[in-house]
Amino acid sequence: MVAQTTLTQYLKNHTTPELASTITTLATASVAISQLLNKGALAGIHGEAGNQNVQGEAQKKLDVISNDLLLNALTHNPNCAGVASEELDEINPANDNGTLLVAFDPLDGSSNIDINMTVGTIFSILPYHNQGQKATEADFLQKGANQIGAGYFIYGTSTMLTVTFGAGVAMFSFDPISQTYILINDDVRISSDTAEYAINASNRRYWLPPMQQYIEELVQGDTGVRAKDYNTRWVAAMIADVHRILMRGGIFMYPFDTKITGKAGKLRLMYEANPMSFVIEQAGGASTDGVERILDITPTHIHQRIPVVLGAKNEVAYVKDLHKTAGILANGDRA
Ligand code: FDP
Ligand code: ZN
């Protein structure tokens, strides 16, 4: 039998002690979140925050519980100088002498919890340079290319961890018996071409003309200019759609739309787009907002939204070309 590599062993050989310790902290919190999700309705975690459970106690929604678990664990890690969460308006300074900043989406796809579908925790790790001072929001406003680690924990039919430190992508599966993450792939790669795409097509009338044209071409399949049939998959949790792309290829889009004025797309740059773009690029894929490489965009504020097109390299390049041909120079107001 081939010896199994645990997450602890992998971290020891593939990253710094500071990053290893931070990932270990995240992994411990992920196990607690996964256990609560497994209990489901029995844990009393369904429904809206503010509701009362059967005992008449105030009920917390699982995204709030996950946020609190991660925030508490990370702020107690001496390597962590600051924490930003999609759930919190402001950043939390942690340990002034820490060397890392962590941004996370505690439970991506949270509308999936109540229907027993896949959700996950996404994290992005940035360097911190102002030791001895309290971290501020300005310290977080670094472009995604500065990330030194990123990944996600996915709570699906099994719990998994995908992580990159900028030298490829590794995937782990949580073993409920030994209660450890075990390495299952130390070099995840995405193929450059695909015949599978993910988009919420109900927003079609709000998209820019090049995006409308792109999806029209895919729908035409082998009767159109692309001369092959395409298939749609949409889980409606970015984490699950991106995970599928890492497992079997594809392109994922939540493009610019005019549905809500001032909102350039739906996804958050710092908690969703940046970490997933880092993972996808490290697996040989590409990621753009339609015009620019996402990892090159300097955020203006921590909760900024951004259009996202990521996955198979050649397909992403094709979408970018359509935007260029249509004369789109910047992908809308990145409010
Ligand atoms: P959710 O609102 O459930 O948290 O984070 C935003 C997100 O999920 C993504 O995970 C997902 O890809 C997208 O929203 C789904 O949006 P639609 O409901 O518009 O399909
Ligand atoms: Zn999310």
Side-chain angles (χ1 to χ4, degrees):
M1 201 178 108
V2 183
Q4 290 183 326
T5 304
T6 64
L7 176 62
T8 309
Q9 287 161 343
Y10 179 88
L11 292 173
K12 205 169 170 216
N13 296 328
H14 290 85
T15 191
T16 62
E18 292 79 14
L19 275 169
S21 147
T22 306
I23 298 294
T24 304
T25 297
L26 288 165
T28 305
S30 79
V31 173
I33 295 168
S34 171
Q35 279 165 353
L36 283 170
L37 281 163
N38 284 340
K39 278 196 184 169
L42 303 176
I45 40 108
H46 287 180
E48 294 296 322
N51 287 356
Q52 292 196 337
N53 65 14
V54 282
Q55 283 88 28
E57 296 157 347
Q59 192 170 302
K60 275 192 186 174
K61 242 187 130 184
L62 194 56
D63 42 9
V64 179
I65 300 175
S66 305
N67 175 71
D68 295 351
L69 270 167
L70 288 158
L71 183 67
N72 184 45
L74 288 166
T75 48
H76 284 93
N77 184 314
N79 301 293
C80 188
V83 186
S85 164
E86 194 186 300
E87 289 281 325
L88 302 170
D89 290 343
E90 313 223 319
I91 72 117
N92 274 262
N95 301 296
D96 297 0
N97 291 319
T99 55
L100 309 173
L101 301 169
V102 184
F104 62 80
D105 178 354
L107 220 46
D108 178 65
S110 52
S111 55
N112 269 353
I113 303 168
D114 290 355
I115 55 166
N116 203 3
M117 296 267 285
T118 298
V119 291
T121 300
I122 310 173
F123 58 89
S124 160
I125 307 177
L126 289 159
Y128 181 63
H129 301 297
N130 291 326
Q131 277 75 32
Q133 293 173 41
K134 278 218 171 317
T136 64
E137 175 170 337
D139 293 310
F140 280 86
L141 302 182
Q142 307 180 39
K143 57 184 180 185
N146 283 10
Q147 289 170 107
I148 47 178
Y152 60 84
F153 297 90
I154 184 165
Y155 315 114
T157 48
S158 62
T159 293
M160 292 177 75
L161 159 65
T162 298
V163 67
T164 182
F165 300 112
V169 176
M171 222 177 245
F172 299 81
S173 201
F174 183 69
D175 173 12
I177 306 295
S178 64
Q179 295 279 302
T180 46
Y181 282 96
I182 306 290
L183 183 68
I184 54 162
N185 188 345
D186 66 355
D187 189 20
V188 180
R189 306 295 301 166
I190 313 174
S191 75
S192 304
D193 295 292
T194 185
E196 203 161 77
Y197 68 100
I199 197 163
N200 182 347
S202 68
N203 293 322
R204 186 186 185 123
R205 69 186 184 282
Y206 301 109
W207 300 336
L208 294 173
M211 189 50 68
Q212 298 208 15
Q213 182 190 333
Y214 177 60
I215 300 303
E216 182 53 33
E217 288 180 7
L218 302 190
V219 170
Q220 283 170 1
D222 67 0
T223 66
V225 291
R226 303 306 302 276
K228 72 175 189 191
D229 285 339
Y230 284 78
N231 189 29
T232 307
R233 283 288 180 271
W234 183 250
V235 182
M238 184 197 200
I239 194 142
D241 283 307
V242 170
H243 185 70
R244 183 187 60 254
I245 288 171
L246 286 165
M247 299 303 287
R248 68 171 196 216
I251 181 168
F252 168 89
M253 292 154 281
Y254 214 113
F256 176 81
D257 67 44
T258 56
K259 198 170 176 178
I260 303 170
T261 317
K263 270 193 189 178
K266 186 179 187 194
L267 301 176
R268 311 283 184 155
L269 176 56
M270 301 213 55
Y271 314 105
E272 294 166 327
N274 272 342
M276 292 311 207
S277 298
F278 191 23
V279 169
I280 289 287
E281 281 197 6
Q282 285 297 316
S287 175
T288 177
D289 70 349
V291 179
E292 274 178 84
R293 177 183 178 230
I294 285 183
L295 295 181
D296 284 338
I297 295 168
T298 303
T300 50
H301 63 98
I302 48 163
H303 296 305
Q304 184 174 349
R305 292 174 197 267
I306 191 94
V308 174
V309 176
L310 59 75
K313 213 180 198 163
N314 294 341
E315 216 50 47
V316 172
Y318 189 87
V319 175
K320 215 171 161 179
D321 279 351
L322 289 179
H323 281 75
K324 206 170 169 189
T325 309
I328 292 166
L329 301 175
N331 216 342
D333 166 32
R334 293 205 195 90

